Amino acid sequence: MESNIENMPKKNIFSAQIDVAKFEKATEEEKRQQDVMSESTTFFKDGMKRLMKNPLAVGSMIFLILIVLVILIAPKVVPYSYSQINTVNGVRDKGAKNMKPFEYSELEQKYMAEGGKVFPHIMGTDEQCRDYFIRVVYGTRVSLSIGLVASVMVLIIGLLYGSISGYFGGRVDLVMMRIVDIIYSLPDLLMVILLSVVLGATITPLIEGTSLAKIGTNLIALFIVYALLYWVGMARLVRGQILTIKSNDYVLAARATGAKSGRIIRKHIIPNCISVIFISTALQVPSAIFTESYLSFLGLGVSAPMPSLGSLANYAREGLVSYPYKLIFPAVVIILIVLSFNLLGDGLRDAFDPKLKK
Amino acid sequence: MNNEYLIEVENLKQYFPIKTGFFKTTPLKAVDGVSFKIKPGETLGLVGESGCGKTTVGRSILRLYEPTDGVVKYNGEIITASNMQEYRKHMQMVFQDPYSSLNPRMTVEDIIGEPLDVHKLYENKAQRREKILSLMELVGLNAEHATRYAHEFSGGQRQRIGIARALAVDPKFIVCDEAVSALDVSIQAQVINMFEDLQQKLGVAYLFIAHDLLVVRHISNRIAVMYLGRIVEVGDADDVYEHPQHPYTESLLSAVPIPDPIQAKENKRIVLSGDVPSPMNMPTGCAFRTRCRYATERCATECPSLLDRGNGHEVACFNR
């Protein structure tokens, strides 16, 4: 029968007769194409696939990766140091004070005329004749690492504490949440200042000579302060989420099929509260950067000459009218980092919520 | 192994401690001494008004709550907390709310596959998928639905997913906890017919919990009527429906709407006075006496137990 169709004469284009060739039986391959069933995926894979479709989130991710690349590579490429006065051919360049972006000092111009090569000051120099670009790069390094380390610590402590408290409930929950209440009721700023002073004094002898000394006592104190104080918000959030999810029928259904606690937490509870955790972790990063900024402002943040974006912005206030770009550079970097973390957090939340699937 | 009854529940009690003061707790007697038996492939309908403990009975049998007292036997063997895990393969549950009983972060494939994962009932991925697809076909879902999420389905389809999940382990007994009450009438009919088809095909026994008497009569072989944590009347579905003995059953049946208006006018509705007493402060003797037309002094002092009135029709009342 199939051969019959093939042997039929070709239809005249102008003929109104139905083309019999169109009613051929579907081949096995064509039948398979009608099977619209898609590949089975895991929850995580599905979420990542959707994240990649969100242009804002992808843009933020690319920007953050670029920033990380710059702060890793720039110190290797730029021949200046964040802590030393500009030198030209081994001579200290006292004239390179408060220069505009891409400006060269007299000494540098003379050296270039002699045929020497000088790396341009992309963002000018500061009042102590230091290259401003490399200072901003180091400032970003410090701020970003504080933001990331602090929020990861908050995430780990808060997630563990909150999920234990929420899942087991009862008396465990009661005691654990009263501890959280006590920490919550302490005045934040006061505790931060007290702890950084006390910790600063006790840590210094401990880390002497180790690689940690390079990071600086203040920075380590800052991490500890964050780990001690700021996890309570996350713990409460996670506990609240778990309490609501736990009472859902699907958790009961999982228990009725014989699923163990570990499986219920892994398959039912975490996927359902992950989006809230994502967004609050992403928002924790900017808040940590801001905390570091005001502590640096109070003299309790990173110790000079190590810059951070907050302290750079703070120093820039002094010459704001004459050298506005000194405030603009660190401020723009802070804004862009905070913005991209927020957009990325939003994107993650949307991607991991199947109800928002387009 | 060859037991006449698949499920035997004896004197099941489920009390919940409720805080009534700073140090005081009062037991809430949700289920207070319930006994019944279900044969393989049989459907027992469990009816009663809201809050009378129907759902708690279902959940206690599956040990989603640890029963305060009483025995549940499967095929003549007593189920304890430690050997429950193996019986979970034989006893499953379908939930009332098709919206909250499916995890919104899981695809249909994973929801139905969960019992298979938990009990490791497959050797490889292909076999898992094959099983899931055959289950989906069994409850009338298309294969293309497998990778979708639960929120993309209507209530009736969601309930089918829930039923497919319950069937995944090849259970012999399913507790249907108000499995159709959240659906609208036309979908109810579909799902109920599906329950009946599945019973014929697979030979499962149901404990069918509902408050819609017509639905229960349609699907059940036997009906048990509950009031305040106790069973007041048990018997063959038609027998209970046509000749109710207990005054509570009488008033419950008189409240069933009749589609024919002329007949409905003739039918006298027995309206109960008063409210359901609090299960934390139960009346002495018969729990129903505060609202009963026939109540005597004896009802206040003694609690009637179920007595056979012939044909396995048991009633717990002194006066009828």
Side-chain angles (χ1 to χ4, degrees):
Chain A
M1 196 182 153
E2 278 164 36
S3 54
N4 262 350
I5 291 169
E6 272 163 30
N7 295 338
M8 281 196 52
K10 272 214 163 179
K11 186 180 83 95
N12 189 325
I13 309 169
F14 299 107
S15 142
Q17 192 197 341
I18 297 166
D19 188 359
V20 189
K22 278 185 181 162
F23 293 89
E24 234 179 319
K25 263 190 175 174
T27 61
E28 278 306 308
E29 199 184 341
E30 280 169 326
K31 275 182 193 163
R32 234 173 291 131
Q33 280 172 358
Q34 293 299 311
D35 242 343
V36 279
M37 201 165 128
S38 48
E39 273 296 297
S40 61
T41 55
T42 62
F43 176 68
F44 183 75
K45 262 193 220 157
D46 207 27
M48 289 315 278
K49 215 167 76 189
R50 255 175 285 151
L51 184 69
M52 289 306 157
K53 282 182 192 157
N54 182 342
L56 279 175
V58 173
S60 319
M61 244 182 337
I62 292 171
F63 175 76
L64 287 172
I65 290 168
L66 274 181
I67 289 238
V68 170
L69 284 179
V70 166
I71 60 178
L72 288 178
I73 293 166
K76 302 258 182 330
V77 176
V78 181
Y80 306 112
S81 140
Y82 69 89
S83 58
Q84 272 164 20
I85 291 175
N86 196 18
T87 50
V88 179
N89 206 10
V91 184
R92 279 192 169 192
D93 183 8
K94 292 267 171 63
K97 209 178 199 177
N98 288 330
M99 288 195 302
K100 286 200 178 69
F102 292 104
E103 199 183 271
Y104 294 101
S105 69
E106 280 175 31
L107 215 58
E108 280 171 338
Q109 278 169 351
K110 211 194 279 171
Y111 182 59
M112 278 156 77
E114 283 166 12
K117 267 190 181 165
V118 174
F119 197 84
H121 302 287
I122 300 169
M123 293 182 186
T125 56
D126 68 356
E127 72 285 344
Q128 289 182 38
C129 313
R130 294 176 293 202
D131 184 70
Y132 204 60
F133 174 67
I134 201 74
R135 282 186 69 72
V136 170
V137 165
Y138 269 90
T140 314
R141 236 185 197 195
V142 169
S143 293
L144 209 57
S145 57
I146 287 176
L148 288 175
V149 172
S151 32
V152 167
M153 280 194 311
V154 164
L155 176 69
I156 292 171
I157 300 173
L159 191 63
L160 278 177
Y161 197 94
S163 45
I164 291 170
S165 178
Y167 189 75
F168 292 103
R171 239 166 243 157
V172 181
D173 182 43
L174 196 79
V175 173
M176 286 177 91
M177 278 302 119
R178 291 302 80 75
I179 294 170
V180 165
D181 287 343
I182 291 167
I183 296 175
Y184 221 80
S185 61
L186 297 172
D188 270 17
L189 187 57
L190 193 69
M191 284 307 292
V192 169
I193 292 169
L194 272 176
L195 279 171
S196 352
V197 172
V198 175
L199 286 172
T202 48
I203 288 173
T204 317
L206 278 177
I207 59 162
E208 207 133 70
T210 61
S211 57
L212 285 173
K214 225 174 159 188
I215 306 173
T217 20
N218 278 0
L219 210 55
I220 294 170
L222 213 63
F223 288 151
I224 296 175
V225 164
Y226 236 92
L228 282 177
L229 289 179
Y230 285 82
W231 57 270
V232 284
M234 180 66 87
R236 274 191 171 173
L237 185 89
V238 172
R239 172 184 171 266
Q241 285 287 315
I242 286 180
L243 281 183
T244 42
I245 293 163
K246 210 174 70 168
S247 66
N248 271 321
D249 273 353
Y250 55 80
V251 175
L252 209 61
R255 279 179 50 211
T257 60
K260 303 240 164 53
S261 291
R263 186 187 162 86
I264 292 174
I265 292 177
R266 218 173 53 243
K267 287 273 175 181
H268 296 280
I269 292 178
I270 290 179
N272 276 292
C273 61
I274 200 110
S275 55
V276 181
I277 292 167
F278 268 149
I279 188 108
S280 72
T281 306
L283 291 176
Q284 197 79 50
V285 175
S287 113
I289 292 174
F290 284 139
T291 309
E292 183 277 325
S293 300
Y294 78 64
L295 284 178
S296 299
F297 181 82
L298 292 169
L300 293 165
V302 294
S303 32
M306 177 68 93
S308 79
L309 290 176
S311 60
L312 284 175
N314 181 32
Y315 292 134
R317 283 185 319 143
E318 288 157 20
L320 188 59
V321 182
S322 330
Y323 320 110
Y325 55 88
K326 277 205 219 163
L327 180 63
I328 290 170
F329 288 129
V332 164
V333 176
I334 291 183
I335 290 169
L336 287 177
I337 289 176
V338 172
L339 186 69
S340 24
F341 270 111
N342 282 337
L343 289 176
L344 186 61
D346 265 354
L348 282 170
R349 185 198 51 197
D350 293 353
F352 283 88
D353 190 349
K355 280 185 189 160
L356 295 170
K357 194 175 175 182
K358 276 167 203 160
Chain B
M1 273 303 275
N2 273 336
N3 230 292
E4 193 191 348
Y5 296 106
L6 184 71
I7 295 286
E8 288 169 80
V9 177
E10 285 164 22
N11 201 23
L12 186 73
K13 284 182 185 173
Q14 182 74 59
Y15 298 169
F16 295 110
I18 300 291
K19 270 203 173 165
T20 43
F22 198 70
F23 290 111
K24 218 171 80 182
T25 53
T26 313
L28 184 151
K29 298 180 176 176
V31 178
D32 197 15
V34 162
S35 308
F36 56 82
K37 289 166 182 171
I38 302 173
K39 286 178 193 158
E42 185 192 52
T43 304
L44 176 71
L46 191 60
V47 291
E49 62 197 296
S50 309
C52 71
K54 305 182 296 276
T55 298
T56 313
V57 169
R59 293 187 178 179
S60 299
I61 293 173
L62 292 180
R63 290 218 172 229
L64 293 174
Y65 303 134
E66 196 53 36
T68 315
D69 195 15
V71 174
V72 179
K73 287 184 193 165
Y74 177 87
N75 239 337
E77 282 162 55
I78 297 173
I79 300 174
T80 61
S82 51
N83 69 4
M84 185 62 215
Q85 192 66 17
E86 66 183 276
Y87 288 109
R88 293 216 185 274
K89 265 190 248 178
H90 308 299
M91 299 155 80
Q92 275 297 318
M93 187 157 184
V94 176
F95 289 84
Q96 173 175 16
D97 183 0
Y99 292 87
S100 78
S101 64
L102 305 178
N103 186 343
R105 305 293 157 108
M106 277 165 110
T107 57
V108 171
E109 187 180 6
D110 286 336
I111 290 172
I112 299 174
E114 177 158 44
L116 301 175
D117 294 340
V118 169
H119 296 287
K120 303 200 174 50
L121 294 177
Y122 53 88
E123 273 143 36
N124 50 41
K125 283 241 162 128
Q127 206 183 354
R128 177 176 186 260
R129 183 150 233 199
E130 202 179 299
K131 270 195 177 174
I132 290 167
L133 290 183
S134 69
L135 282 165
M136 288 176 71
E137 203 185 303
L138 194 65
V139 297
L141 291 166
N142 294 336
E144 67 197 71
H145 293 154
T147 47
R148 293 200 195 157
Y149 289 93
H151 68 92
E152 296 170 55
F153 294 93
S154 67
Q157 283 175 311
R158 282 164 156 255
Q159 200 58 296
R160 284 166 196 266
I161 298 168
I163 294 165
R165 170 176 61 191
L167 291 173
V169 288
D170 247 333
K172 286 278 156 261
F173 174 62
I174 297 179
V175 175
C176 303
D177 183 6
E178 308 244 9
V180 292
S181 15
L183 310 171
D184 58 53
V185 181
S186 56
I187 312 286
Q188 271 189 10
Q190 285 177 15
V191 174
I192 287 167
N193 289 338
M194 197 179 78
F195 273 125
E196 288 185 322
D197 287 349
L198 292 173
Q199 191 165 45
Q200 278 177 4
K201 267 189 231 165
L202 311 169
V204 279
Y206 295 124
L207 174 64
F208 201 89
I209 301 170
H211 51 241
D212 186 336
L213 289 160
L214 288 173
V215 167
V216 171
R217 188 193 182 187
H218 178 75
I219 193 167
S220 308
N221 303 101
R222 284 154 60 75
I223 292 182
V225 183
M226 261 185 99
Y227 183 77
L228 267 185
R230 292 194 184 113
I231 290 181
V232 294
E233 185 163 0
V234 198
D236 284 341
D238 292 330
D239 206 10
V240 170
Y241 206 84
E242 302 294 344
H243 312 290
Q245 305 261 326
H246 196 277
Y248 179 63
T249 319
E250 269 181 356
S251 78
L252 208 59
L253 288 172
S254 76
V256 173
I258 299 163
D260 179 5
I262 299 160
Q263 210 191 337
K265 241 180 206 173
E266 284 169 10
N267 237 25
K268 268 198 193 143
R269 171 114 201 256
I270 305 164
V271 181
L272 291 176
S273 58
D275 284 324
V276 189
S278 159
M280 285 168 71
N281 184 20
M282 293 251 262
T284 55
C286 174
F288 187 60
R289 72 177 165 85
T290 52
R291 301 168 79 187
C292 183
R293 293 187 291 166
Y294 309 101
T296 58
E297 273 174 30
R298 193 184 171 199
C299 300
T301 49
E302 262 181 84
C303 184
S305 51
L306 284 170
L307 281 179
D308 201 332
R309 307 281 165 102
N311 271 340
H313 190 154
E314 295 175 47
V315 183
C317 187
F318 296 124
N319 306 313
R320 297 303 301 276

